[in-house]
Amino acid sequence: MNIIVNTMPVAFEAGDSVLVALQRAGLHPNRGGCLCAAGDCPHCLATVNGVAYVRTCQTLAQPGMIVESFPTDDYPHLPTNTQRGPTVSARNLHCDVVVIGMGESGQVAAAAATAAGKSVITLDDKVGQEVVGIYPELMVVARTSAGMLHIHAHDEVVVATGAAEIQPVAPGNHLRGIVTPRAAAHLAAKGVALGRVVVVESGDAVDLSASPTLNIIAHLKGQVLQFEGLDTLQAVVVLDENGHSQRIECDTAVVWLGLTPRDLLVRMAAGLKVRAVGDAAREADLPPCPDAGMVCSCSNVSAADLQRVWDQGFHEMELVKRATLVGTGPCQGVVCVPHMRSFLATRTAAADSSANPDIARLSKVQAPFTARPVVRQLTLGEVAAGAHHHATPRTGLDAEHRRLGAVMDRIGGWWRPWHYGNPLAEYWAVREAVSIGDVSTLGKIIVSGPDALAFLERLYPTKVSSIAVGRSRYVLILDERGYVMDDGLICKDSDTRYTLTFTSGGSSHAEMWLRDWAEGWNMDVRILNQTMSLGAINVTGPLATQLLQRAGLTQPYKFMQHGHASIADVPCRVYRLSFTGEVSYELHHPVDQSAKLWRTLMTLGADLGIRPHGLQTLLQLRLEKGHVIVGQDTDFDSTPRRIGMEWALRMDKADFLGKPAIERTNKTVLDKQLVGFEMPAPAPFEGANIMHEGEYVGYVTSSTYSPVLGKVVMLGWLKLVNGTLPSEVMIDGRPARRVDVPFYDKEGARAKA
Amino acid sequence: MPKLNYLPFTRIVATPAALDVTIWPTEALALRTAADEVLLLSSAPPTLVDPHAIVVPDSGFVGAWLPAEAVQAIFEQHCEWALPATRSVFVQGAVAGIAAKLWLEAERGLLIVPAAYGHDFAERTGLA
């Protein structure tokens, strides 16, 4: 069985890790550095099957696996292919206690929790369950070969991950041929030839008698002063316990400096019920202060770099981390943190703290810095596992639009048809014949109750009491500052019940707005948001009434009148209004019957020249009528006066939301206004600057070419110059003229026909 | 997997006090979605003491009855909150990133989402 390493086959045996296979072949997965063979260090990282930064010591070799070792002078390049990677699934599990690590202390913890009647989930990287983080609300995320696990612990998380061996820092510690004692034993057991071995340790901890195949030529107590070699270790210089320096030629150096707890998961879980047990809870050993050599090979930080930032005044763990990026790489500080602590402890002790109060307040041995998820490199697929993008709602006609070949887009928070392939034909169908459009996205909210009138009277700037049952009125919705927040209709159903409509993007906020004020004013009303429950089809055009009569409309509706009717055997609320400038009826109906109603209307209107129209046409039609779209034409500080819609206010009402602000702002000098412009084609882009005598005076908010008028019509914000609105301006470098709106059918005769 | 279908609910908004004392029709499934709101699956209308209650037919939700194991599987894969141990029970929350409601009986559950999100929900959970 072979894996492919840098295009060459390399044999492996069943049960080998990729690292073992490489070492047995005399190869190193990385540039070099001490190997731990336990998943702690970054020195065995390689790219495996296209995934970079894989710990080869933790990865089981599989036939045909593609392994690319790190470049000698660079980090691996991340894949640049644009193909979507495999979808990674996530599985959510729930329990009382999660135990991470199933060594001796983990088993004891799990048994104790089970005996106490707790439900327990255990995780162990030795069986391929790599914990990558602990998150608020006690969620443990682990990677497995079958996908990600999201485990929700109700009581606590026990970290029993043991301790890592401290790796040496000395000149030459980047060479190949340096290992920890555990790695030496593991590699020897796997039949890896390590050649002449020198063991250097700080105490009496290393016992390699269980590894008889190791050719140990020297076993010393002391400290490594230098590793010598080019790419591969050739000799080690040791300061022994007697203070003598000796140089020993060797192929492998086994170095022991003590243990440091694997406590990253605990350090990222401050405030959560997470505790360490066993070696994960032990005190960290402190290695000798590093004076030379690579401290953090992940971020290429040397002992000299630590000294440099110390001299610059960075004396705390967190600050040294930020100044050097030490501890921020793939091993997350497992290798470098012990040496940082030793370095800072030594420098702090040696510093004249009386002259430097900043140093005086530091503890002698500083605690490791805060850890943060994730502690393992993840693919984007693994990060995204279980996450869902924000879903965009679809109307009951969504499938119908797509069947008709509509170009769909997300607009106003919904999937909506932009056009059906021929927007100009759609436009003329509305102006000259009949057309239907999907307006299901409009906000529709019922307000009912004994206080309904009083509530709406206080909320809206119009005189609600003057609306008759069965009639509707266009209204602005203002906030407390008198700014235009939304617009829509008030439709009176009975003396105690009203239906309110809002813009597509505004309905969710409108519901909260209504509920908030109803509660704040202690109004006895009930509120129901029907936006997603009712479909709505706009039947518009000079032949709209004729079409609806064919579909079952038995009585004529006056402009701004509404009522109930059965249209094409679908129960509808019929609203006579107009946003397009033509005769229009909105048919609000149960959303499960949208397709039936739509198709019947299309069939009945075939000989009338019916076409569906998309949003592109709707926006064109409304602009010809000068209708404002809140959010597009309005800004955050748009008052009714600024948008030229003071007619929608009843300032003689005792009160309404925003009235005091309107009264106050009306006393100030008008500085800008939303006005209409016209010019020859082509239409400038929306947002184009408006210039007057070389000065910026505003910008275009809506712009379209009007087929019926044969010119471009626009809305835009215009500053007053010397107290007046300029009549002649330049837009898009071309002359344009300010005109009154509406641009088309100024008397509204077509809509009211 | 079962398909999501429109559910013929009656939606009721009334004062919490009125809903508290309402006796729902026999065999009805009344889901209290909020203090002032109930989704009712019933062929008979309820008798409410609130004269201003809003009572409207509502086809704005889709759903499917699923075996309890299928509900469990969907929750494991798509939901960060745990299914309650009690039965029968009504719960609400994000499932597959979409606001969902679940009526859970011993052997089966009715999973409900707004029809406007039915397409995405089906795509994410396999309830085609």
Side-chain angles (χ1 to χ4, degrees):
Chain A
M1 295 184 293
N2 292 319
I3 57 175
I4 310 301
V5 181
N6 299 331
T7 73
M8 297 296 291
V10 169
F12 71 93
E13 296 172 7
D16 278 355
S17 66
V18 172
L19 173 67
V20 166
L22 289 165
Q23 289 275 287
R24 195 183 285 120
L27 300 171
H28 195 289
N30 205 312
R31 289 164 288 196
C34 180
L35 293 172
C36 70
D40 294 313
C41 77
H43 300 129
C44 75
L45 296 174
T47 300
V48 177
N49 286 343
V51 178
Y53 297 100
V54 172
R55 282 166 165 76
T56 56
C57 70
Q58 306 291 295
T59 306
L60 209 58
Q62 306 276 356
M65 187 176 258
I66 308 287
V67 179
E68 298 163 79
S69 58
F70 275 21
T72 54
D73 57 351
D74 199 357
Y75 291 102
H77 299 289
L78 293 174
T80 53
N81 70 55
T82 53
Q83 289 184 342
R84 190 173 168 175
T87 299
V88 181
S89 66
R91 190 173 168 214
N92 288 277
L93 299 173
H94 302 264
C95 64
D96 296 324
V97 177
V98 175
V99 179
I100 303 168
M102 285 307 285
E104 193 178 326
S105 55
Q107 290 180 37
V108 169
T114 304
K118 306 289 186 185
S119 60
V120 179
I121 291 178
T122 61
L123 296 167
D124 193 0
D125 59 7
K126 290 183 180 57
V127 293
Q129 297 160 331
E130 276 185 295
V131 174
V132 300
I134 300 175
Y135 292 81
E137 299 180 10
L138 226 46
M139 181 173 79
V140 178
V141 175
R143 169 168 55 191
T144 75
S145 59
M148 304 299 285
L149 293 177
H150 294 180
I151 304 172
H152 309 267
H154 301 144
D155 288 358
E156 68 167 348
V157 175
V158 179
V159 176
T161 44
E165 295 168 296
I166 297 173
Q167 300 207 348
V169 174
N173 64 341
H174 62 283
L175 295 173
R176 303 174 177 192
I178 308 167
V179 295
T180 64
R182 287 179 191 163
H186 175 69
L187 293 172
K190 285 289 186 178
V192 174
L194 297 177
R196 296 163 299 164
V197 175
V198 171
V199 179
V200 184
E201 62 170 310
S202 54
D204 288 314
V206 180
D207 178 8
L208 291 170
S209 59
S211 304
T213 57
L214 286 176
N215 176 21
I216 300 174
I217 60 171
H219 190 141
L220 306 168
K221 281 186 195 173
Q223 180 185 350
V224 175
L225 295 178
Q226 185 164 0
F227 299 97
E228 292 183 358
L230 291 174
D231 294 329
T232 305
L233 184 71
Q234 293 173 338
V236 61
V237 180
V238 180
L239 181 67
D240 66 23
E241 58 185 338
N242 300 315
H244 299 131
S245 166
Q246 48 181 304
R247 179 180 183 278
I248 307 170
E249 292 192 357
C250 60
D251 302 303
T252 300
V254 179
V255 185
W256 168 262
L257 290 165
L259 294 171
T260 186
R262 293 191 184 111
D263 58 359
L264 279 168
L265 296 171
V266 181
R267 287 194 276 125
M268 71 175 59
L272 301 178
K273 288 184 180 171
V274 177
R275 66 183 169 98
V277 297
D279 270 352
R282 62 168 286 151
E283 280 292 312
D285 293 325
L286 216 57
C289 175
D291 292 320
M294 187 60 72
V295 175
C296 171
S297 59
C298 300
S299 300
N300 279 331
V301 180
S302 65
D305 292 325
L306 292 186
Q307 183 62 49
R308 184 168 46 81
V309 298
W310 171 272
D311 293 341
Q312 290 171 345
F314 297 95
H315 300 148
E316 295 180 41
M317 288 286 287
E318 291 283 358
L319 297 181
V320 172
K321 181 181 79 170
R322 285 162 174 74
T324 61
L325 297 184
V326 68
T328 60
C331 86
Q332 289 288 287
V334 173
V335 169
C336 59
V337 161
H339 298 285
M340 281 177 73
R341 298 179 74 204
S342 176
F343 174 87
L344 292 173
T346 305
R347 293 294 183 274
T348 303
D352 180 1
S353 56
S354 62
N356 194 334
D358 175 48
I359 292 177
R361 69 177 175 77
L362 295 174
S363 58
K364 206 162 225 174
V365 180
Q366 297 181 38
F369 45 69
T370 303
R372 290 190 175 81
V374 293
V375 298
R376 287 288 187 266
Q377 289 63 56
L378 300 179
T379 64
L380 290 177
E382 288 166 341
V383 172
H388 296 284
H389 63 80
H390 177 73
T392 303
R394 298 163 192 254
T395 73
L397 291 165
D398 186 84
E400 195 69 12
H401 300 318
R402 293 172 197 269
R403 190 181 66 79
L404 291 168
V407 173
M408 303 294 289
D409 208 344
R410 295 181 180 92
I411 304 161
W414 289 76
W415 278 110
R416 303 179 74 178
W418 185 239
H419 63 73
Y420 298 84
N422 191 344
L424 189 60
E426 295 167 29
Y427 170 89
W428 285 117
V430 178
R431 284 279 177 254
E432 297 298 331
V434 63
S435 175
I436 55 177
D438 183 3
V439 291
S440 303
T441 59
L442 289 170
K444 311 168 208 72
I445 297 179
I446 296 174
V447 175
S448 170
D451 291 343
L453 175 60
F455 174 51
L456 299 182
E457 204 70 90
R458 202 162 162 186
L459 198 67
Y460 283 100
T462 191
K463 197 163 186 180
V464 182
S465 61
S466 66
I467 303 173
V469 172
R471 304 292 296 182
S472 310
R473 182 175 298 162
Y474 172 83
V475 283
L476 291 175
I477 300 158
L478 308 178
D479 65 16
E480 302 96 309
R481 296 170 299 173
Y483 296 143
V484 177
M485 215 174 61
D486 205 347
D487 66 353
L489 296 179
I490 298 178
C491 311
K492 186 168 182 176
D493 304 324
S494 73
D495 287 340
T496 56
R497 181 159 162 162
Y498 295 81
T499 298
L500 313 176
T501 71
F502 302 87
T503 57
S504 301
S507 67
S508 300
H509 181 257
E511 181 185 357
M512 289 188 287
W513 183 252
L514 291 170
R515 289 186 181 279
D516 209 26
W517 285 114
E519 188 179 322
W521 292 333
N522 199 25
M523 292 288 180
D524 187 4
V525 292
R526 297 98 183 99
I527 296 168
L528 173 61
N529 188 345
Q530 289 193 294
T531 302
M532 289 193 178
S533 301
L534 296 177
I537 294 173
N538 184 26
V539 183
T540 181
L543 306 180
T545 306
Q546 190 178 341
L547 171 62
L548 288 178
Q549 283 169 342
R550 291 182 184 183
L553 190 71
T554 54
Q555 66 175 65
Y557 279 73
K558 293 177 185 169
F559 189 62
M560 300 306 275
Q561 185 184 4
H562 62 89
H564 293 269
S566 175
I567 307 292
D569 292 328
V570 174
C572 293
R573 288 201 54 170
V574 180
Y575 296 84
R576 172 82 194 271
L577 38 76
S578 183
F579 191 54
T580 63
E582 302 294 338
V583 171
S584 299
Y585 299 84
E586 272 181 21
L587 308 178
H588 295 200
H589 57 276
V591 68
D592 62 333
Q593 299 192 55
S594 288
K596 174 187 172 186
L597 180 58
W598 177 276
R599 288 181 183 180
T600 305
L601 291 170
M602 286 294 288
T603 302
L604 294 174
D607 64 315
L608 301 177
I610 192 170
R611 275 179 179 271
H613 65 269
L615 204 59
Q616 179 178 338
T617 292
L618 186 65
L619 296 178
Q620 201 171 19
L621 295 161
R622 70 89 196 178
L623 186 50
E624 289 174 342
K625 289 297 296 176
H627 293 317
V628 166
I629 292 185
V630 175
Q632 175 171 332
D633 297 306
T634 61
D635 215 334
F636 66 93
D637 62 350
S638 297
T639 59
R641 183 168 65 140
R642 280 178 170 156
I643 64 171
M645 292 178 67
E646 285 180 291
W647 54 263
L649 309 180
R650 284 298 296 267
M651 297 303 288
D652 57 338
K653 272 176 66 170
D655 193 19
F656 60 82
L657 201 65
K659 185 182 178 190
I662 296 283
E663 288 172 334
R664 190 173 63 252
T665 55
N666 277 353
K667 292 173 187 165
T668 63
V669 176
L670 186 65
D671 57 345
K672 62 180 179 181
Q673 203 159 21
L674 187 71
V675 294
F677 300 94
E678 62 179 30
M679 66 189 296
F685 62 87
E686 290 169 348
N689 286 347
I690 302 173
M691 310 295 287
H692 175 65
E693 296 179 350
E695 296 289 325
Y696 171 84
V697 289
Y699 63 95
V700 174
T701 59
S702 294
S703 168
T704 191
Y705 176 75
S706 166
V708 74
L709 298 172
K711 58 189 173 189
V712 171
V713 294
M714 294 165 281
L715 290 175
W717 284 102
L718 185 63
K719 288 183 192 173
L720 277 77
V721 178
N722 298 324
T724 59
L725 291 165
S727 298
E728 306 294 332
V729 295
M730 299 289 284
I731 300 175
D732 207 15
R734 293 179 289 137
R737 197 162 62 90
R738 179 172 63 80
V739 294
D740 292 336
V741 292
F743 302 97
Y744 176 66
D745 187 24
K746 290 186 185 296
E747 309 306 320
R750 295 179 70 90
K752 295 171 185 169
Chain B
M1 276 293 218
K3 284 179 67 171
L4 294 172
N5 289 306
Y6 284 105
L7 297 168
F9 279 119
T10 298
R11 202 159 168 197
I12 300 160
V13 177
T15 62
L19 293 178
D20 286 345
V21 300
T22 301
I23 297 167
W24 304 104
T26 316
E27 303 299 318
L29 179 59
L31 307 175
R32 188 79 175 259
T33 54
D36 64 345
E37 185 173 311
V38 164
L39 276 179
L40 183 69
L41 267 182
S42 170
S43 52
T47 306
L48 291 160
V49 296
D50 179 0
H52 299 285
I54 302 169
V55 183
V56 289
D58 195 312
S59 57
F61 294 92
V62 293
W65 284 100
L66 303 170
E69 314 83 69
V71 174
Q72 180 71 41
I74 286 174
F75 267 63
E76 270 195 10
Q77 206 178 343
H78 298 289
C79 188
E80 290 196 349
W81 46 282
L83 280 176
T86 52
R87 304 286 187 278
S88 299
V89 66
F90 176 63
V91 287
Q92 304 180 89
V95 179
I98 288 167
K101 307 174 193 300
L102 173 68
W103 169 251
L104 191 58
E105 299 173 353
E107 302 293 329
R108 62 177 191 162
L110 176 61
L111 198 49
I112 305 160
V113 293
Y117 292 106
H119 178 94
D120 286 271
F121 191 76
E123 205 170 66
R124 293 172 185 188
T125 59
L127 293 171

